[in-house]
Amino acid sequence: MRAPTAEAMRAFGARLAAHLRAGDLIVLSGPLGAGKTTLVQGIAEGLKVRGPITSPTFVIARVHPSLTQGPPLVHADAYRLGGDLEVDDLDLDASLEESVTVVEWGEGLVEGLADDRLEIHIDREAGDEARVLTVRAVGPRWADTPVDRLEG
Ligand SMILES: Nc1ncnc2c1ncn2[C@@H]1O[C@H](COP(=O)(O)OP(=O)(O)O)[C@@H](O)[C@H]1O
Ligand SMILES: [Mg+2]
């Protein structure tokens, strides 16, 4: 899948959000500046949760409550983990069941939280603004979700 612009990336997130529900875990990977946070902004828009979605500098996990009756979005950025703070300290499992949880830089860290998860890898396309997304659905939860047909 291809997101030619940041706007397209957010639109993809919003379309994906229509398929998300409480208990879902999404793990985002890809280099700095790939567009992980931009994708979360689109998911937040689609879920209709309170913003803004930013790249947290000091706060590593943030809860964005729903503006309607939907699940909250828990947005975590594991980039700075590994020192004194470990993924367990984020206490994501406490909120997982009632939230949609999206973790940037979570690969290799948060898989143990849920047997079912969506793994999205984002890469830059050489010499272009476009990004390439690779979506991998793990577990039966996603069996009926057309994750590979969310292209705009
Ligand atoms: N196609 C695209 N998809 C996502 N972001 C893009 C795209 N083209 C340009 N950008 C820009 O690249 C930057 C991505 O930053 P960010 O989402 O914070 O990345 P990350 O969270 O992966 O470090 C933003 O400034 C965004 O506007
Ligand atoms: Mg980010």
Side-chain angles (χ1 to χ4, degrees):
M1 183 177 315
R2 208 164 163 274
T5 62
E7 203 39 62
M9 182 66 86
R10 279 189 282 266
F12 167 71
R15 285 195 303 277
L16 176 61
H19 298 274
L20 299 177
R21 56 183 190 234
D24 287 345
L25 173 66
I26 301 180
V27 184
L28 303 181
S29 60
L32 206 61
K36 299 181 293 298
T37 301
T38 304
L39 175 56
V40 181
Q41 288 168 351
I43 293 173
E45 207 181 288
L47 286 177
K48 299 192 171 65
V49 297
R50 195 170 71 204
I53 302 291
T54 56
S55 304
T57 310
F58 298 107
V59 183
I60 294 184
R62 220 178 239 135
V63 183
H64 299 273
S66 176
L67 297 170
T68 60
Q69 299 294 316
L73 172 68
V74 173
H75 174 211
D77 189 319
Y79 187 56
R80 278 165 300 274
L81 290 186
D84 293 341
L85 205 56
E86 299 295 340
V87 71
D88 286 351
D89 297 318
L90 297 183
D91 226 12
L92 293 174
D93 47 347
S95 55
L96 189 72
E97 271 185 47
E98 64 263 28
S99 316
V100 170
T101 303
V102 183
V103 187
E104 300 186 38
W105 302 102
E107 69 269 31
L109 292 173
V110 299
E111 286 81 358
L113 287 175
D115 291 335
D116 301 82
R117 61 187 180 270
L118 212 53
E119 300 177 350
I120 304 179
H121 183 78
I122 309 174
D123 256 323
R124 287 166 176 272
E125 212 164 70
D128 201 350
E129 193 186 338
R131 306 293 198 264
V132 178
L133 292 95
T134 311
V135 183
R136 177 171 175 256
V138 179
R141 150 71 181 97
W142 306 101
D144 299 322
T145 308
V147 283
D148 52 350
R149 282 189 280 117
L150 290 169
E151 281 150 276

PDB file of all heavy atoms in Angstrom, residues 116 137 139-146:
ATOM      1  N   ASP A 116      -3.535 -11.228  19.252  1.00  0.00           N
ATOM      2  CA  ASP A 116      -4.003 -10.640  18.003  1.00  0.00           C
ATOM      3  C   ASP A 116      -3.486  -9.212  17.923  1.00  0.00           C
ATOM      4  O   ASP A 116      -3.639  -8.447  18.864  1.00  0.00           O
ATOM      5  CB  ASP A 116      -5.537 -10.593  17.977  1.00  0.00           C
ATOM      6  CG  ASP A 116      -6.152 -11.969  18.107  1.00  0.00           C
ATOM      7  OD1 ASP A 116      -6.262 -12.454  19.257  1.00  0.00           O
ATOM      8  OD2 ASP A 116      -6.494 -12.553  17.083  1.00  0.00           O
ATOM      9  N   ALA A 137      -1.478  -8.730   9.581  1.00  0.00           N
ATOM     10  CA  ALA A 137      -2.476  -9.032  10.603  1.00  0.00           C
ATOM     11  C   ALA A 137      -2.103 -10.336  11.287  1.00  0.00           C
ATOM     12  O   ALA A 137      -1.861 -11.342  10.624  1.00  0.00           O
ATOM     13  CB  ALA A 137      -3.855  -9.138   9.969  1.00  0.00           C
ATOM     14  N   GLY A 139      -3.325 -13.126  14.058  1.00  0.00           N
ATOM     15  CA  GLY A 139      -4.384 -13.667  14.904  1.00  0.00           C
ATOM     16  C   GLY A 139      -5.756 -13.610  14.259  1.00  0.00           C
ATOM     17  O   GLY A 139      -5.993 -12.838  13.328  1.00  0.00           O
ATOM     18  N   PRO A 140      -6.683 -14.399  14.779  1.00  0.00           N
ATOM     19  CA  PRO A 140      -8.023 -14.535  14.201  1.00  0.00           C
ATOM     20  C   PRO A 140      -8.856 -13.257  14.259  1.00  0.00           C
ATOM     21  O   PRO A 140      -9.796 -13.093  13.480  1.00  0.00           O
ATOM     22  CB  PRO A 140      -8.672 -15.651  15.026  1.00  0.00           C
ATOM     23  CG  PRO A 140      -7.832 -15.800  16.245  1.00  0.00           C
ATOM     24  CD  PRO A 140      -6.465 -15.348  15.886  1.00  0.00           C
ATOM     25  N   ARG A 141      -8.529 -12.346  15.152  1.00  0.00           N
ATOM     26  CA  ARG A 141      -9.289 -11.092  15.282  1.00  0.00           C
ATOM     27  C   ARG A 141      -9.469 -10.402  13.922  1.00  0.00           C
ATOM     28  O   ARG A 141     -10.492  -9.782  13.646  1.00  0.00           O
ATOM     29  CB  ARG A 141      -8.573 -10.167  16.283  1.00  0.00           C
ATOM     30  CG  ARG A 141      -8.727  -8.671  16.052  1.00  0.00           C
ATOM     31  CD  ARG A 141     -10.147  -8.185  16.374  1.00  0.00           C
ATOM     32  NE  ARG A 141     -10.321  -6.770  16.143  1.00  0.00           N
ATOM     33  CZ  ARG A 141     -10.845  -6.242  15.038  1.00  0.00           C
ATOM     34  NH1 ARG A 141     -11.223  -7.027  14.042  1.00  0.00           N
ATOM     35  NH2 ARG A 141     -11.011  -4.943  14.922  1.00  0.00           N
ATOM     36  N   TRP A 142      -8.459 -10.484  13.071  1.00  0.00           N
ATOM     37  CA  TRP A 142      -8.452  -9.698  11.846  1.00  0.00           C
ATOM     38  C   TRP A 142      -8.942 -10.478  10.636  1.00  0.00           C
ATOM     39  O   TRP A 142      -8.915  -9.961   9.520  1.00  0.00           O
ATOM     40  CB  TRP A 142      -7.034  -9.175  11.579  1.00  0.00           C
ATOM     41  CG  TRP A 142      -6.499  -8.436  12.753  1.00  0.00           C
ATOM     42  CD1 TRP A 142      -5.620  -8.897  13.688  1.00  0.00           C
ATOM     43  CD2 TRP A 142      -6.858  -7.111  13.167  1.00  0.00           C
ATOM     44  NE1 TRP A 142      -5.410  -7.939  14.660  1.00  0.00           N
ATOM     45  CE2 TRP A 142      -6.157  -6.836  14.358  1.00  0.00           C
ATOM     46  CE3 TRP A 142      -7.721  -6.141  12.641  1.00  0.00           C
ATOM     47  CZ2 TRP A 142      -6.285  -5.625  15.036  1.00  0.00           C
ATOM     48  CZ3 TRP A 142      -7.842  -4.935  13.315  1.00  0.00           C
ATOM     49  CH2 TRP A 142      -7.124  -4.696  14.498  1.00  0.00           C
ATOM     50  N   ALA A 143      -9.416 -11.702  10.888  1.00  0.00           N
ATOM     51  CA  ALA A 143      -9.777 -12.577   9.772  1.00  0.00           C
ATOM     52  C   ALA A 143     -10.788 -11.926   8.821  1.00  0.00           C
ATOM     53  O   ALA A 143     -10.697 -12.095   7.609  1.00  0.00           O
ATOM     54  CB  ALA A 143     -10.328 -13.895  10.322  1.00  0.00           C
ATOM     55  N   ASP A 144     -11.739 -11.155   9.374  1.00  0.00           N
ATOM     56  CA  ASP A 144     -12.785 -10.578   8.534  1.00  0.00           C
ATOM     57  C   ASP A 144     -12.547  -9.099   8.216  1.00  0.00           C
ATOM     58  O   ASP A 144     -13.416  -8.422   7.684  1.00  0.00           O
ATOM     59  CB  ASP A 144     -14.155 -10.734   9.204  1.00  0.00           C
ATOM     60  CG  ASP A 144     -14.497 -12.202   9.424  1.00  0.00           C
ATOM     61  OD1 ASP A 144     -14.157 -13.014   8.539  1.00  0.00           O
ATOM     62  OD2 ASP A 144     -15.059 -12.536  10.481  1.00  0.00           O
ATOM     63  N   THR A 145     -11.376  -8.591   8.583  1.00  0.00           N
ATOM     64  CA  THR A 145     -11.068  -7.181   8.336  1.00  0.00           C
ATOM     65  C   THR A 145     -10.286  -7.055   7.031  1.00  0.00           C
ATOM     66  O   THR A 145      -9.243  -7.691   6.881  1.00  0.00           O
ATOM     67  CB  THR A 145     -10.232  -6.605   9.504  1.00  0.00           C
ATOM     68  OG1 THR A 145     -10.906  -6.886  10.728  1.00  0.00           O
ATOM     69  CG2 THR A 145     -10.044  -5.113   9.349  1.00  0.00           C
ATOM     70  N   PRO A 146     -10.784  -6.264   6.099  1.00  0.00           N
ATOM     71  CA  PRO A 146     -10.108  -6.154   4.797  1.00  0.00           C
ATOM     72  C   PRO A 146      -8.905  -5.218   4.858  1.00  0.00           C
ATOM     73  O   PRO A 146      -8.862  -4.215   4.151  1.00  0.00           O
ATOM     74  CB  PRO A 146     -11.209  -5.595   3.896  1.00  0.00           C
ATOM     75  CG  PRO A 146     -12.059  -4.776   4.812  1.00  0.00           C
ATOM     76  CD  PRO A 146     -12.009  -5.434   6.162  1.00  0.00           C
TER      77      PRO A 146
END
